[in-house]
Amino acid sequence: MSELDAIEFLDQQPRCACVLLLDTSGSMSVRDGETTPIDALNEGLKIFRDELSKDELAQKRVEVAVIEFNSRVNVVQEFVQAQDFYPPTLRAEGSTAMGEGIEKAMEMVENRKRTYKENGVIYYRPWIFMITDGQPTDKVDEASRLIANGEENKSFAFFAVGVQKADMQKLAQISVRDPQKLSGLNFGELFVWLSASMKNVSQSKPGEQIAMEKIGWSAL
Amino acid sequence: MKRKYTKSNNRRKEISGWRFAGASVSGTSHKRLSLPCQDAYHFEQPSAGIMLMAVADGAGSAARSDEGASIAVKAAVEYLQKSCGEYIGSENEEGIESLFLDSVKTARFAVEKHAEESNEDVSLFACTLLLIFAVREFVALAQIGDGGVVIQDYEGKITGLTVPEPSRYANETYFLVSPNAFEHLQFRFWKGETKHIAMFSDGLQYLCLRMPDGTPYDEFFKPLFRFLDSSRDQSLLEKNLTDFLVSQKVKAHTDDDITLIMSVFESYK
């Protein structure tokens, strides 16, 4: 036996917060061939969990929260470590309170960062990942202004993905980064990509610019 | 794994002096991305009582940072080696600080020159640099970027000599070749008899320093230094240390490259 066997480690993994900001408006339940967007999204969330669970470090470092927006905004899942994330089954109804949803996501990210700081936890830049099939039915001016600020200050990274008849022009006005259009209902590939991206971020080297995973699910 | 250091003459230390052991391993994320081990270390012992050591961590995103790291550690240590003798016994803190500044500048220049000769942008060779000059009576260190230095005195008191830069995000640090590198150069002069020194790259940081203030974790360092005391056979120590750093126990906590080098001051009557 070596003295090395007696060494103990601190458990203080750096954290990477990821908010899934999901449109569950009524149009998400409109049948498209074999399935509906909402069913495909629910399947996608399971794939997200399964993919993250394959990576021991990502399980500990990635923290997932889920917010849905329809006529209202609802926090479906507060931040949990990926290892404790069990995907909800979302239902679709109502309109598209996107602006309010975005503001809620930013508020959650800021609160999480405060908790990290108070506890001396080191963290990566959080991600807000929005998926929508429509256009906002509420005001998004304040939300887009906050996104522009947040990206400028590197407070978070905001990504928007449009599904089916999503208003891509509107998304481009809201998001600083180019919005992506999902090809068909290929949520599976989208969430495989997202989990791979989260693994990359959560295991990046100091000072590293994260090379984006190649996007294979976009229709653009 | 390619070793990126040269061993100094392993002369017998008859009376008293420093003894060295170190290891550097590739992280699993580097293997997955087919990156080389981008850490490097180097040490020289101009006389038994003087230990000069450096660790550099190449930036993951910089394609040739492994070269930058190995050039930087050698250039910095060799510069110190030429002039450190003047400062023995003097405890001239200001003089040592300017010696370190020149040494770090020399390292930066060496990396810049290498970049120029390779016809590449210097940012491709980005790395951090951690540098130590230790005698029995003091430990001086300079640092750009992350990584850490922890010492133990003769009473068994463990002290961290580095303070992590308060960067907002885990993946932000400063590099030797950054335009503003010298604004982030930390210098520390620790006066007091030191028995053990450990220097490490940031891959180990979260496991052994309590963040954000960087207080060393005794349960990590006490056994580590006992391990260093357990044998005088450098190659045996280094083999065991390497096995430990690639073990599942360590891999479950970090996927980064890890470099851990150590020195103990021994007296023989």
Side-chain angles (χ1 to χ4, degrees):
Chain A
M1 286 291 275
S2 155
E3 292 289 349
L4 293 173
D5 297 324
I7 287 181
E8 290 176 29
F9 300 133
L10 289 164
D11 188 15
Q12 41 180 13
Q13 299 286 345
R15 297 301 166 100
C16 182
C18 175
V19 182
L20 302 176
L21 177 57
L22 308 174
D23 182 345
T24 54
S25 60
S27 53
M28 288 287 284
S29 62
V30 174
R31 184 158 290 280
D32 178 13
E34 296 288 292
T35 185
T36 62
I38 194 73
D39 289 343
L41 174 60
N42 282 326
E43 283 307 306
L45 291 175
K46 288 182 194 148
I47 290 168
F48 186 51
R49 178 194 154 73
D50 292 347
E51 287 296 314
L52 284 177
S53 72
K54 290 177 190 164
D55 190 296
E56 200 171 0
L57 280 170
Q59 284 246 65
K60 293 180 183 149
R61 293 182 177 178
V62 176
E63 294 193 326
V64 182
V66 180
I67 302 174
E68 63 170 345
F69 56 95
N70 40 57
S71 305
R72 317 180 291 120
V73 169
N74 177 29
V75 177
V76 182
Q77 173 69 64
E78 297 279 355
F79 280 110
V80 284
Q81 277 178 290
Q83 61 192 10
D84 299 321
F85 173 60
Y86 295 96
T89 301
L90 300 169
R91 289 177 46 218
E93 60 190 350
S95 55
T96 311
M98 186 189 294
E100 196 188 331
I102 293 171
E103 288 174 43
K104 183 69 194 172
M106 285 187 282
E107 180 194 318
M108 277 181 76
V109 161
E110 287 313 312
N111 286 342
R112 197 66 191 161
K113 281 161 65 171
R114 200 170 308 126
T115 308
Y116 291 152
K117 281 180 194 155
E118 283 165 6
N119 293 285
V121 174
I122 292 167
Y123 56 95
Y124 297 92
R125 187 194 303 192
W127 278 33
I128 300 173
F129 200 82
M130 182 173 81
I131 301 175
T132 177
D133 75 333
Q135 54 181 338
T137 50
D138 63 349
K139 287 224 179 303
V140 291
D141 302 359
E142 178 65 4
S144 3
R145 196 183 63 76
L146 291 171
I147 289 171
N149 268 347
E151 291 276 8
E152 170 83 20
N153 300 328
K154 299 185 176 178
S155 299
F156 54 78
F158 182 90
F159 299 87
V161 176
V163 181
Q164 292 180 323
K165 296 190 180 107
D167 185 341
M168 297 308 291
Q169 271 182 335
K170 190 73 189 173
L171 287 183
Q173 286 165 20
I174 293 170
S175 172
V176 173
R177 295 162 199 266
D178 287 341
Q180 300 289 326
K181 174 87 192 281
L182 185 66
S183 144
L185 291 180
N186 200 355
F187 283 100
E189 211 170 319
L190 168 65
F191 278 103
V192 169
W193 174 88
L194 183 61
S195 67
S197 302
M198 293 322 308
K199 285 179 209 169
N200 284 352
V201 173
S202 69
Q203 293 164 35
S204 53
K205 288 273 293 167
E208 189 169 29
Q209 285 290 318
I210 311 302
M212 293 298 283
E213 286 283 311
K214 192 173 180 321
I215 296 176
W217 43 267
S218 173
L220 294 183
Chain B
M1 182 194 57
K2 205 172 112 199
R3 301 243 169 182
K4 290 183 215 75
Y5 65 94
T6 46
K7 285 182 183 163
S8 72
N9 296 330
N10 211 351
R11 62 180 71 110
R12 291 291 302 175
K13 285 150 284 241
E14 301 297 350
I15 308 157
S16 63
W18 294 103
R19 180 162 63 75
F20 176 92
S24 191
V25 303
S26 278
T28 43
S29 66
H30 287 230
K31 285 179 186 147
R32 193 175 66 223
L33 302 168
S34 314
L35 291 170
C37 177
Q38 292 162 320
D39 282 0
Y41 69 86
H42 186 71
F43 77 100
E44 292 288 351
Q45 212 172 344
S47 68
I50 305 176
M51 179 56 85
L52 308 172
M53 302 191 283
V55 168
D57 179 350
S61 57
R64 295 172 69 176
S65 64
D66 53 324
E67 295 168 43
S70 68
I71 290 167
V73 288
K74 275 199 84 173
V77 167
E78 281 167 7
Y79 186 86
L80 284 186
Q81 191 178 12
K82 277 188 285 181
S83 312
C84 65
E86 300 170 29
Y87 298 94
I88 306 303
S90 70
E91 294 184 15
N92 171 0
E93 190 179 329
E94 273 179 28
I96 294 173
E97 183 167 2
S98 85
L99 171 70
F100 268 89
L101 184 60
D102 289 342
S103 162
V104 172
K105 281 182 179 163
T106 303
R108 176 169 160 138
F109 181 71
V111 176
E112 284 171 346
K113 185 160 166 274
H114 179 72
E116 205 177 298
E117 285 166 4
S118 316
N119 239 334
E120 296 276 18
D121 193 86
V122 73
S123 63
L124 286 187
F125 302 86
C127 64
T128 65
L129 182 63
L130 190 51
L131 189 59
I132 272 199
F133 169 15
V135 294
R136 189 187 166 111
E137 297 76 22
F138 67 78
V139 178
L141 73 90
Q143 175 175 31
I144 291 181
D146 43 27
V149 174
V150 169
I151 58 165
Q152 177 168 252
D153 68 13
Y154 283 81
E155 276 72 55
K157 187 173 182 297
I158 305 264
T159 308
L161 295 190
T162 45
V163 183
E165 279 262 4
S167 65
R168 274 200 306 172
Y169 295 125
N171 52 353
E172 282 180 356
T173 190
Y174 301 98
F175 297 115
L176 179 63
V177 297
S178 302
N180 57 352
F182 291 95
E183 290 166 32
H184 298 282
L185 175 66
Q186 294 187 55
F187 175 75
R188 181 96 194 253
F189 187 81
W190 174 263
K191 210 173 143 182
E193 292 200 346
T194 297
K195 177 143 177 75
H196 296 96
I197 304 173
M199 268 176 108
F200 45 89
S201 58
D202 78 308
L204 269 186
Q205 214 161 273
Y206 305 123
L207 310 190
C208 66
L209 299 180
R210 201 177 290 282
M211 296 300 172
D213 48 352
T215 316
Y217 188 48
D218 281 11
E219 284 69 17
F220 181 93
F221 289 102
K222 296 246 171 202
L224 182 69
F225 291 140
R226 281 202 302 272
F227 162 73
L228 181 58
D229 290 339
S230 70
S231 166
R232 301 198 67 227
D233 181 342
Q234 185 182 343
S235 59
L236 176 71
L237 287 172
E238 292 186 343
K239 185 195 171 296
N240 288 342
L241 187 61
T242 304
D243 289 347
F244 172 68
L245 294 179
V246 299
S247 70
Q248 194 50 41
K249 181 176 167 179
V250 174
K251 294 289 170 216
H253 286 83
T254 182
D255 56 349
D256 204 351
D257 290 346
I258 303 175
T259 297
L260 175 57
I261 66 177
M262 296 176 284
S263 199
V264 53
F265 195 92
E266 293 176 321
S267 308
Y268 313 103
K269 294 273 160 68

